[in-house]
Amino acid sequence: MEKIIEELLTTDTPWESFKENYYSAQDIRLFCFDNEINNFGMDFTSKQIDKYIVHSFSSLENTLVIDKYNFESYFRKIKVHRCFDFDSNIISYLRNYLVYKQIDPSFKKLLVYLKSSGAQISCSPYILEAGANRHDVDTEFIFESVVSFFAFDKAQSIEEFDSYSFDTIKNDSEIVKNVSRVMQAIKVDVPLLQLPQYHLIYCLLLKIYEINFKSKKSAKNKMLELLECVNKELFAYTENELYIAYLFFDKDERISSFFGGIKETSNNVISKINAMAWDLLHLRNLETQVASRNSESKDVFFHFFCSHDFGINN
């Protein structure tokens, strides 16, 4: 099996290779991200709704799914389910909407799109972050936020959500059950020290900050120093984060807003790097969730990240 997987990952013609090795490869699902076509349509690409962006985890317009269900023809459209993971700012705006009836017109456009999409929604990024940092967050604020999320999930339309009263909906039996489950998970969730991916990204960002401002080396030499640290201290190769690091060293405008808070003379650098590490972890978790949800199913599941944050959207 390992030999077949290696061949599928290295060949220039994965479709033909899959067909040739079908009986050995039939339990494998392969996502190919560099094609001129896809086999699930154009409704699954990233969307910008006014000030908000719904991100896919890759360029889905160029993604081909190869597995035993559709290997005979890559023109067969496959059934795909979407799940939109909400950033913490989205959850907070939902709370403001439900509790205080405060809403920005741009945010309302996003909510209309989400309801019309027919996709699943998830607050897993919020739960993960709240669980790890629960000692630093107001429990009542978390409770109100989680109630607001499940109220929005329950509502069939924006008009129905708008009609909800927080004091009434928080006692709805379905809401109570879901909120109780989440609040319990937050109380007993994995401690921050047991989140190795978060700590890896956090340490990498600290090293990036140190390297960038301690010398006037070229971007290439700064990158070589970072790779030296990765090879001798971190022992983990994080391709996406290292690519972002090089763009930062090279002063690329595409990531200037994301790194904008950690200038050489910035205050509260540690807390800003902490927030950046969470952002990158949530993006990395999109791939993790897609991998785990697509291992046993005939249908395909894609996760998307919804955010208002300008830096992470870039």
Side-chain angles (χ1 to χ4, degrees), residues 24 39 41 71 74 80 121 145 149 172 185 197 233 235-236 238-239 258 289 299 301 314:
S24 299
N39 52 351
F71 80 99
Y74 50 68
V80 178
I121 60 172
S145 300
F149 169 81
D172 177 272
Q197 284 193 324
E233 298 176 38
F235 306 107
T238 57
E239 184 176 357
F258 181 71
Q289 292 183 95
D299 296 347
F301 294 85
N314 277 357

Side-chain angles (χ1 to χ4, degrees), residues 195-246:
L195 289 172
Q197 284 193 324
Y198 164 80
H199 282 287
L200 173 61
I201 295 171
Y202 177 70
C203 290
L204 195 66
L205 288 171
L206 287 174
K207 195 66 180 180
I208 290 169
Y209 177 79
E210 177 197 4
I211 291 172
N212 192 64
F213 295 114
K214 79 174 184 180
S215 73
K216 297 187 181 297
K217 293 179 180 178
S218 67
K220 178 182 177 180
N221 287 331
K222 287 180 179 179
M223 196 66 201
L224 290 173
E225 185 175 345
L226 181 63
L227 290 172
E228 183 80 1
C229 168
V230 167
N231 290 331
K232 293 189 175 181
E233 298 176 38
L234 297 180
F235 306 107
Y237 187 81
T238 57
E239 184 176 357
N240 293 341
E241 289 77 9
L242 289 175
Y243 176 63
I244 292 173
Y246 182 78

Side-chain angles (χ1 to χ4, degrees), residues 100-166:
Y100 302 111
K101 299 302 178 182
Q102 298 174 354
I103 185 166
D104 177 77
S106 178
F107 184 56
K108 194 163 188 175
K109 289 180 182 178
L110 173 69
L111 298 187
V112 170
Y113 167 75
L114 294 173
K115 279 300 175 189
S116 66
S117 70
Q120 299 173 341
I121 60 172
S122 167
C123 59
S124 59
Y126 184 80
I127 296 172
L128 179 64
E129 199 165 341
N133 298 291
R134 60 186 178 275
H135 300 301
D136 301 324
V137 184
D138 183 354
T139 303
E140 183 64 22
F141 185 92
I142 295 176
F143 172 76
E144 292 174 352
S145 300
V146 175
V147 168
S148 301
F149 169 81
F150 283 112
F152 178 71
D153 192 28
K154 176 183 176 68
Q156 296 299 309
S157 65
I158 297 301
E159 290 75 22
E160 182 179 342
F161 182 66
D162 194 42
S163 70
Y164 289 159
S165 162
F166 177 79

Side-chain angles (χ1 to χ4, degrees), residues 45-47 49 52-58 83-90 110 113-114 122-126 129 258 275 278-287 289 302-309 311-313:
T45 54
S46 297
K47 303 282 186 182
I49 299 93
Y52 297 82
I53 297 183
V54 180
H55 289 283
S56 65
F57 69 98
S58 183
C83 183
F84 296 150
D85 295 346
F86 288 179
D87 195 2
S88 296
N89 53 40
I90 303 293
L110 173 69
Y113 167 75
L114 294 173
S122 167
C123 59
S124 59
Y126 184 80
E129 199 165 341
F258 181 71
W278 278 113
D279 288 341
L280 293 179
L281 178 66
H282 294 324
L283 295 183
R284 176 168 285 280
N285 276 342
L286 292 180
E287 297 179 356
Q289 292 183 95
F302 286 140
H303 276 255
F304 297 74
F305 192 67
C306 303
S307 181
H308 179 260
D309 186 282
I312 195 170
N313 281 338

Side-chain angles (χ1 to χ4, degrees), residues 79-98:
K79 188 172 183 179
V80 178
H81 304 275
R82 287 175 292 176
C83 183
F84 296 150
D85 295 346
F86 288 179
D87 195 2
S88 296
N89 53 40
I90 303 293
I91 303 292
S92 297
Y93 298 153
L94 279 174
R95 172 183 173 271
N96 289 341
Y97 191 179
L98 182 62

